[in-house]
Amino acid sequence: MDQFTINLLFVGGSFALYFGIAIWARAGSTKEFYVAGGGVHPVLNGMATAADWMSAASFISMAGLIAAGGYANSTFLMGWTGGYVLLAMLLAPYLRKFGKFTVPDFIGDRFYSTTARLVAVACLIIASVTYVIGQMTGAGVAFSRFLEVDNNTGLIIAAVVVFFYAVLGGMKGITYTQVAQYVVLIIAYTIPAVFISLQLTDTFIPAIGLFSTHTESGLPLLQKLDEVVRELGFRDYTADVENKLNMVLFTLSLMIGTAGLPHVIIRFFTVPKVADARWSAGWALVFIALLYLTAPAVASMARLNLLTTIYPSGPTEQPIEYAERPDWVQTWETTGLIKFEDKNGDGRVQFYNDVPAFQDEAAARGWEGNELVVNRDILVLANPEIANLPGWVIGLIAAGGLAAALSTAAGLLLAISSAISHDLIKGSINPNISDKDELKVARISMFVAIVVATYLGMNPPGFAAQVVALAFGIAAASIFPALMMGIFSKRVNSTGAIAGMLAGLISTLVYIFVFLGWFFIPGTANLANTPDNWLFGISPLSFGAVGAMINFAVAFTVSSMTPPPPKEIQDLVESVRYPQGAGGAVDH
Amino acid sequence: MSDHNTNAEKYWQANLRLILGSLVIWALASYGCAILLRPMLSGIHIGGTDLGFWFAQQGSILVFLFLTFFYAWRMNKLDEEFGLEE
């Protein structure tokens, strides 16, 4: 059986499973559509949250980022897991007790203001739409690589699949589909990692292999990797970072951004009790950690494997001849994600860090520039091929990457559609809409959201990387502080909360736009995006944490100068703090 | 009614203390050991590198896991102790 047929079998089989679940879990009421009826077991909810959270970025890109940056990119590992501690202690149980359907529901009620609710809806839609574009693009790429169709066809297939189970099943369908998608993606990620760990360190568990001995050289794996990259002019893999302030703020932005992303928060509305919301956060982190503890091992081992492939007799000896490169390099060359150019005409593949500090050594070896460019996103996808694993593992990786992209896209689309149908239409425009009509509006808005996301996926605005920073920045600077103050302070009033959200949102947007261009239009940046220009060395990607602090400061100052919230609002804050009398998610 | 208030008040104070303690550990593991204190811990070797690197790529995640489960277990017990469980 050829590779194409195997990929088709794995991808088709997993889709048949998702469809089956969607039909079985069809949503009949708004409550089932928005919060799956509020009856999902915490372990299953944890699994669904993990699939919801782990996107194409976690599955495909993160290991590549760590492989390239080493210690410096540990920020992603800590930032994208540490946020769950904040969720578990500061948000999830109280929002579950509050017992309504959406994030703007809480902000609108707690700050007794339609304006606050609409600001929250705007933040939610900007953050979610920017995020969903990346997922659709990722799914399109995975389809085109593994099913050998063009990118747009791949995107349309992805859109039809998501449409079917998200529109039909709502949160109920999405939840149970995500459980299946989690199982597919974690198996796909772990199997190649286990094989590679066995090959390099004789250790069965990759996370332990990372800190074990490299069998071939007898040195610890990380020490061996440091030595190899140093010989080729790269920074040590484990080298420390000079700008610690920026590293701290970037990690903090990722953490509070994670805790403030609406599609993650609404997952905690689906469990039966407050106690279950607490357990559920823990289980979500367990299922996320299974991938996040494996990722750094995949990163260092794949980097070492890549360099050993190019320098079979060691980095101080000659690299391989281009004619003798392995098959997987040839496969990826056809996609353009690996590029080779023989600059010194010796027929060999010189791969090193082309920096001034290394120029003398390179010249002494007769090298005239780095000759190989490897796109870091291929690392996870090419992993099974690098390790010579059988064809079915490649089919599994294809199904896993698609599961990661589609599960996150579905979660985001649900957050967007509920913000439109529930908060915008029912909450502001037509409060008397019937349950049945609201469900219809929810399905129509989800359909529109899918069409818009697919269109933007086909015609990406060309700023995919910045867009993710924007989504996290907005969630960190606007949504997270508003929710936290709504629970932990009785004194913050509607004027303070609105002023705080706007101050956090605008300061973060301005700081990002000044360095990356206004609305990301090329050429409109006021300052070059270099560390010298950054305020106190804070990068635009790390500014979300500062925006959050501005939000808190403004909200408290303005609230202290204006009258406290009315008695019934203070009672509402009181009631979310105690689990007693939570009941189910309230139909209203 | 005032009895209920003091009981509820005590429950909330206990919750705040628990959150504060947990967040101190949360920050020490990630921002402390893995980033700011890494140079101070560089003398402690583990698997071919130093303790700070281990915290950054593995230790902090394990600490986060422990904290979320510990918090859930402790709070669910406090709910019962104060008679505030569902």
Side-chain angles (χ1 to χ4, degrees):
Chain A
M1 212 182 326
D2 65 350
Q3 189 60 48
F4 177 73
T5 321
I6 297 173
N7 292 348
L8 210 59
L9 271 176
F10 269 87
V11 174
S14 62
F15 282 2
L17 178 68
Y18 308 152
F19 283 148
I21 293 170
I23 293 166
W24 168 72
R26 197 174 185 285
S29 67
T30 46
K31 194 177 168 188
E32 283 190 345
F33 192 86
Y34 292 134
V35 294
V40 182
H41 189 275
V43 176
L44 286 185
N45 190 54
M47 225 181 250
T49 311
D52 201 338
W53 168 241
M54 291 192 288
S55 60
S58 291
F59 189 90
I60 298 172
S61 308
M62 192 175 63
L65 279 167
I66 299 167
Y71 167 78
N73 281 346
S74 311
T75 47
F76 294 102
L77 291 167
M78 290 187 282
W80 284 340
T81 50
Y84 280 83
V85 178
L86 300 178
L87 257 176
M89 293 174 193
L90 303 177
L91 303 181
Y94 320 105
L95 293 176
R96 174 63 196 86
K97 171 67 199 298
F98 176 65
K100 287 189 186 170
F101 294 154
T102 68
V103 170
D105 256 345
F106 178 76
I107 292 181
D109 284 9
R110 164 61 183 85
F111 298 113
Y112 48 101
S113 150
T114 313
T115 316
R117 190 174 178 134
L118 291 178
V119 172
V121 169
C123 294
L124 187 155
I125 290 180
I126 302 172
S128 304
V129 168
T130 49
Y131 214 91
V132 84
I133 299 169
Q135 302 310 315
M136 296 307 281
T137 325
V141 172
F143 270 112
S144 59
R145 164 72 182 84
F146 292 110
L147 299 184
E148 296 163 28
V149 294
D150 74 89
N151 198 25
N152 285 354
T153 316
L155 249 169
I156 290 169
I157 303 175
V160 170
V161 173
V162 174
F163 173 80
F164 190 81
Y165 70 76
V167 171
L168 194 67
M171 186 57 129
K172 199 174 166 199
I174 288 173
T175 303
Y176 291 106
T177 317
Q178 280 172 337
V179 171
Q181 283 165 333
Y182 177 77
V183 174
V184 171
L185 81 85
I186 198 67
I187 292 175
Y189 202 82
T190 313
I191 287 182
V194 167
F195 277 110
I196 292 171
S197 178
L198 279 172
Q199 285 173 353
L200 286 181
T201 64
D202 276 337
T203 313
F204 182 67
I205 299 168
I208 295 175
L210 175 62
F211 297 97
S212 308
T213 306
H214 180 230
T215 323
E216 204 184 296
S217 64
L219 294 170
L221 181 82
L222 287 164
Q223 193 183 329
K224 170 76 186 164
L225 181 56
D226 272 347
E227 284 175 13
V228 173
V229 297
R230 203 180 304 142
E231 291 290 350
L232 298 168
F234 295 101
R235 268 170 72 85
D236 272 18
Y237 191 79
T238 60
D240 208 356
V241 167
E242 286 87 45
N243 189 345
K244 299 248 177 193
L245 172 69
N246 189 50
M247 188 168 176
V248 165
L249 287 178
F250 184 56
T251 310
L252 188 59
S253 297
L254 292 180
M255 284 190 190
I256 53 185
T258 301
L261 281 175
H263 71 286
V264 177
I265 298 174
I266 53 172
R267 289 240 51 102
F268 294 97
F269 298 171
T270 63
V271 293
K273 292 193 302 183
V274 173
D276 294 332
R278 297 183 187 126
W279 287 126
S280 198
W283 284 111
L285 195 51
V286 167
F287 295 119
I288 292 168
L290 283 178
L291 191 143
Y292 276 55
L293 291 173
T294 306
V298 169
S300 59
M301 290 174 191
R303 176 115 183 243
L304 187 60
N305 258 343
L306 179 69
L307 293 171
T308 342
T309 308
I310 296 166
Y311 295 91
S313 345
T316 49
E317 303 293 321
Q318 287 286 357
I320 52 159
E321 288 187 31
Y322 181 64
E324 288 167 9
R325 67 197 188 283
D327 289 347
W328 64 267
V329 177
Q330 297 179 28
T331 326
W332 284 96
E333 268 179 318
T334 57
T335 64
L337 296 172
I338 290 185
K339 288 196 191 87
F340 171 74
E341 185 197 343
D342 197 359
K343 290 179 181 161
N344 64 353
D346 69 347
R348 290 181 182 272
V349 185
Q350 275 92 34
F351 178 55
Y352 65 100
N353 195 15
D354 222 343
V355 289
F358 195 67
Q359 219 132 49
D360 291 344
E361 197 164 329
R365 296 182 72 171
W367 296 352
E368 291 167 20
N370 174 42
E371 299 180 344
L372 190 73
V373 180
V374 182
N375 182 312
R376 59 182 185 216
D377 276 352
I378 69 170
L379 203 77
V380 168
L381 300 179
N383 227 353
E385 297 164 281
I386 300 177
N388 283 321
L389 300 180
W392 62 268
V393 182
I394 300 169
L396 197 58
I397 284 272
L402 285 167
L406 295 181
S407 58
T408 307
L412 287 160
L413 289 165
L414 185 91
I416 296 168
S417 85
S418 61
I420 293 171
S421 61
H422 188 72
D423 295 305
L424 211 58
I425 309 279
K426 190 184 168 80
S428 310
I429 297 169
N430 178 10
N432 300 322
I433 191 167
S434 74
D435 197 59
K436 209 177 146 203
D437 284 340
E438 190 186 343
L439 198 57
K440 208 184 285 169
V441 175
R443 288 194 160 118
I444 294 170
S445 44
M446 192 179 271
F447 173 73
V448 175
I450 292 176
V451 173
V452 172
T454 311
Y455 175 79
L456 290 172
M458 283 178 184
N459 307 285
F463 46 78
Q466 287 95 317
V467 144
V468 175
L470 185 69
F472 273 91
I474 291 171
S478 61
I479 300 173
F480 176 80
L483 291 174
M484 197 184 151
M485 286 183 290
I487 297 160
F488 286 86
S489 164
K490 286 185 203 168
R491 185 63 183 76
V492 174
N493 58 25
S494 73
T495 332
I498 295 168
M501 273 197 282
L502 290 176
L505 180 69
I506 293 169
S507 60
T508 306
L509 283 178
V510 167
Y511 196 80
I512 292 177
F513 286 158
V514 163
F515 291 104
L516 300 177
W518 290 86
F519 303 97
F520 303 116
I521 298 164
T524 56
N526 304 69
L527 291 166
N529 190 21
T530 57
D532 295 338
N533 288 333
W534 296 343
L535 196 65
F536 305 115
I538 301 168
S539 99
L541 305 186
S542 313
F543 200 80
V546 181
M549 290 171 211
I550 294 174
N551 184 338
F552 281 119
V554 169
F556 280 117
T557 313
V558 172
S559 296
S560 71
M561 296 185 299
T562 41
K567 175 81 173 65
E568 67 266 23
I569 297 300
Q570 300 194 24
D571 290 345
L572 170 77
V573 178
E574 230 5 51
S575 80
V576 300
R577 292 179 176 181
Y578 312 116
Q580 205 173 44
V586 188
D587 288 300
H588 61 130
Chain B
M1 191 63 201
S2 70
D3 265 5
H4 174 76
N5 275 342
T6 38
N7 183 47
E9 198 60 33
K10 275 186 195 153
Y11 166 84
W12 186 245
Q13 290 305 324
N15 180 22
L16 290 183
R17 273 197 304 278
L18 186 59
I19 292 176
L20 192 69
S22 305
L23 288 187
V24 167
I25 299 173
W26 165 82
L28 265 180
S30 50
Y31 303 106
C33 297
I35 304 178
L36 298 172
L37 304 177
R38 188 178 176 207
M40 280 172 59
L41 300 170
S42 62
I44 308 170
H45 294 285
I46 172 170
T49 179
D50 56 283
L51 191 65
F53 184 91
W54 179 79
F55 263 104
Q57 301 218 331
Q58 199 167 87
S60 55
I61 300 176
L62 298 174
V63 171
F64 298 157
L65 269 176
F66 168 78
L67 284 175
T68 42
F69 274 98
F70 176 75
Y71 178 78
W73 170 76
R74 193 74 197 100
M75 276 314 285
N76 293 347
K77 257 185 71 162
L78 278 183
D79 288 355
E80 280 172 40
E81 273 170 33
F82 285 86
L84 289 167
E85 78 274 21
E86 279 172 75

